[in-house]
Amino acid sequence: MITLKLNGQDHQLDVTEDMPLLWAIRDVAGYNGTKFGCGMGLCGACTIHIEGAPARSCITPIGSVVGQNVTTIDNLHVDPVGQVVQQAWLDTAVAQCGFCQGGQIMSATALLKTHPNPSDEQIEEAMVGNICRCGTYNRIKTAIRQASTHLKEAKA
């Protein structure tokens, strides 16, 4: 049994330490917001947060995150920055097919937590590992800028 700190709760999972975190999250713990994309950590669809940092769950063995806080898109609604990012995604109609958007939102939220007022270069650097086959990159940047502006206004 492995204890996984997932979305603010401890989950006892009967899995091996080398099981990819993605499958433990989806198939064992039952959180299906995190998506399988490529299985090689290249597309970003499976992005989650480990201690607040974005990570690819398809290539992260569950044994490597024991004792660390893991957050998925399924629980981002309780995060104040995550709420703002999700609303910006809706306001700017980012999603087309929507498949990659959970990973995109997780990466954008991590960016805004570390760089609340990111430059275009910082946005591009943070989002480079998230692929959108529909090509919504300009809308993604717009949503990140909008979320940044809203977060600044909320602090004022």
Side-chain angles (χ1 to χ4, degrees):
M1 290 295 255
I2 291 178
T3 301
L4 180 63
K5 292 182 178 185
L6 180 60
N7 293 331
Q9 298 179 336
D10 284 344
H11 293 267
Q12 296 292 324
L13 306 179
D14 188 11
V15 298
T16 62
E17 289 187 3
D18 63 344
M19 176 183 245
L21 186 55
L22 172 65
W23 302 122
I25 290 168
R26 287 185 60 82
D27 294 347
V28 182
Y31 293 91
N32 61 7
T34 304
K35 303 296 183 208
F36 173 79
C38 67
M40 297 181 290
L42 303 173
C43 74
C46 69
T47 302
I48 47 106
H49 291 170
I50 300 172
E51 294 293 338
R56 305 299 189 248
S57 62
C58 71
I59 58 170
T60 303
I62 190 171
S64 70
V65 299
V66 171
Q68 298 180 66
N69 293 308
V70 176
T71 305
T72 70
I73 189 75
D74 303 282
N75 204 50
L76 204 60
H77 66 280
V78 301
D79 180 299
V81 175
Q83 290 172 1
V84 170
V85 172
Q86 288 176 321
Q87 189 60 53
W89 245 249
L90 293 171
D91 292 346
T92 57
V94 171
Q96 236 174 290
C97 83
F99 191 83
C100 70
Q101 296 307 310
Q104 301 276 3
I105 289 169
M106 294 300 285
S107 291
T109 299
L111 166 67
L112 291 174
K113 285 182 171 211
T114 57
H115 297 42
N117 188 26
S119 66
D120 286 346
E121 183 178 286
Q122 288 170 320
I123 292 172
E124 289 172 17
E125 183 178 312
M127 303 305 291
V128 73
N130 291 86
I131 296 171
C132 176
R133 296 290 183 210
C134 299
T136 64
Y137 299 112
N138 289 332
R139 287 185 282 188
I140 289 168
K141 286 181 188 176
T142 299
I144 292 170
R145 287 185 199 107
Q146 178 181 317
S148 173
T149 299
H150 183 78
L151 289 167
K152 283 187 285 190
E153 290 170 355
K155 286 187 177 182

